[in-house]
């Protein structure tokens, strides 16, 4: 990439924004077996853990001269990363074009169309039955068509990893103290790559558990239709290969929905689908592996709030349809095996 002179106004502006960020809270959740804490990343300004990577990627690219005032940022996203980029690009006076797909929540799409002059929406499923490859193809077309464009590439950009290493992990260590387990939902891989390295440096015995969803190919599972954005992938993101993962928990979307309901009912936490997946993974793991006399200290990442999922995860009609489709798919799979 051709490096240009760094834009000093943008550099100062990102520093100003950075000074305004005060971190996200850690809350304890009462549990019979474990000392569980949730890192409420949905308390970030744009509403998710993707604030970390979005701002740091922009900050670093501006410092290197890869983004100037006339640059258009273009990115593929299922929702949260697009929202974070839209927010910070608006704060910086930069143009941003998100490339989304039909799995993008209605509330998220509406917010993006409010914040961005142009939103690209693909509608053709890729060979894995998802839309990711279609989104990425459209990104490449836009990079050619636009005069001055920058692709953050959240799936492979080391700055995405470093944001969580530098900021999210440092906060978690300061807030939580020694950890025995850390559960992290995996999508692009940046969060778990950064967190795992920093946590392992401080607490080498901490077990890092990657949480994925059925239908995702990240850990070798067969691809199939997925409905809940923010977790899983139809490609294996390069950043996942950099993570220090001890165990993997695969959670069905039905189970994730159940866990979202449990978080609201037990703790008042109105969280998104990936958070439900992570909480379900915690519960399922310790249902199979009962702790001994010593209660383990367990943390998981609450990636985003539930508002964007009001018409899906928290909609009884949508949930019933999800259950019906899952039951039908299980019946077909059982017939195929027999």
């Amino acid at each position: 990439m051709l490096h240009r002179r760094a834009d000093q106004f943008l550099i100062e502006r990102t520093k100003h924004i950075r000074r305004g960020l005060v971190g996200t809270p850690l809350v304890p959740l009462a549990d019979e077996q474990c000392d569980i804490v949730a890192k409420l990343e949905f308390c970030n300004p744009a509403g998710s853990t993707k604030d970390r990577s979005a701002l740091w990627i922009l900050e670093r690219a501006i410092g290197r001269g890869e983004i100037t005032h006339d640059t258009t940022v273009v990115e593929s996203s299922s929702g949260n990363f697009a929202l974070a980029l839209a927010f910070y690009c608006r704060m910086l006076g930069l143009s941003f074009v998100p490339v989304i797909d039909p799995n993008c929540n209605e509330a998220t799409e509406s917010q993006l169309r409010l914040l961005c002059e142009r939103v690209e929406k693909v509608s053709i499923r890729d060979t894995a039955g998802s839309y990711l490859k279609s989104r990425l193809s459209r990104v490449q077309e836009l990079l050619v068509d636009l005069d001055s464009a920058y692709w953050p590439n959240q799936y492979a950009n080391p700055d995405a990893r470093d944001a969580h290493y530098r900021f999210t992990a440092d906060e978690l260590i300061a807030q939580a103290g020694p950890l025995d387990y850390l559960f992290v939902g995996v999508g692009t891989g940046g969060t778990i790559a950064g967190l795992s390295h920093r946590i392992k440096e401080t607490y080498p015995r901490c077990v890092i558990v990657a949480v994925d969803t059925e239908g995702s190919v990240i850990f070798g599972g067969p691809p199939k239709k997925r409905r809940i954005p923010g977790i899983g992938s139809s490609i294996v993101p390069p950043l996942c290969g950099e993570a220090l993962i001890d165990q993997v928990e695969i959670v069905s979307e039905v189970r994730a929905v159940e866990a979202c309901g449990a978080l609201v009912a037990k703790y008042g936490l109105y969280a998104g689908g990936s958070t439900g997946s992570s909480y379900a993974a915690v519960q399922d793991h310790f249902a199979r592996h009962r702790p001994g006399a010593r209660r383990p200290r367990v943390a998981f990442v609450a990636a985003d709030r539930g508002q964007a999922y009001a018409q899906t995860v928290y909609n009884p009609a949508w949930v019933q349809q999800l259950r019906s489709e899952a039951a039908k798919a299980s019946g077909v799979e059982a017939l195929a095996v027999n």
Side-chain angles (χ1 to χ4, degrees), residues 211-218 221-228 231-233 249-256 277 326 329-330 333:
V211 182
D212 200 8
T213 183
E214 289 182 356
S216 168
V217 306
I218 295 175
K224 66 178 184 180
K225 181 180 177 181
R226 291 178 288 113
R227 304 159 188 80
I228 299 177
I231 188 168
S233 178
E249 287 279 342
I250 307 297
V251 177
S252 72
E253 292 191 318
V254 170
R255 184 74 184 92
S277 296
S330 296
E333 290 170 3

Side-chain angles (χ1 to χ4, degrees), residues 25-29 34-40 168-169 171-173 175-185 192 195 199 203 206-211 275 278-279 281-283 285-286 296-302:
L26 191 78
V27 298
L29 306 183
C34 311
D35 292 330
I36 301 178
V37 292
K39 180 69 167 154
L40 303 188
T168 322
E171 285 179 24
L172 182 58
I173 289 167
Q175 294 167 325
L179 289 172
D180 298 303
Y181 291 85
L182 174 62
F183 288 72
V184 184
I192 196 166
L195 281 173
I199 295 298
Y203 307 122
C206 180
V207 178
I208 307 296
V209 183
V211 182
T275 303
S278 294
Y279 181 63
V282 173
Q283 297 299 309
H285 177 86
F286 289 104
R297 179 77 161 165
V298 180
F300 72 94
V301 177

Side-chain angles (χ1 to χ4, degrees), residues 59-106:
E59 196 170 340
R60 295 289 290 161
I62 289 167
R64 292 189 294 261
E66 296 166 2
I67 292 177
T68 63
H69 68 280
D70 61 349
T71 300
T72 299
V73 179
V74 181
E75 181 62 298
S76 154
S77 170
S78 60
N80 286 326
F81 192 60
L83 284 175
L85 282 174
F87 174 75
Y88 290 110
C89 283
R90 175 68 68 169
M91 293 279 284
L92 292 166
L94 296 171
S95 296
F96 171 53
V97 179
V99 181
I100 62 173
D101 63 51
N103 281 337
C104 183
N105 293 309
E106 182 179 340

Side-chain angles (χ1 to χ4, degrees), residues 109-136:
E109 182 174 346
S110 296
Q111 189 173 346
L112 287 173
R113 294 191 182 279
L114 182 66
L115 290 172
C116 308
E117 293 182 3
R118 178 178 180 182
V119 175
E120 293 281 326
K121 188 174 184 178
V122 303
S123 58
I124 300 174
R125 291 187 182 274
D126 56 34
T127 54
S130 184
Y131 298 96
L132 176 55
K133 294 177 184 177
S134 298
R135 294 201 319 256
L136 292 174

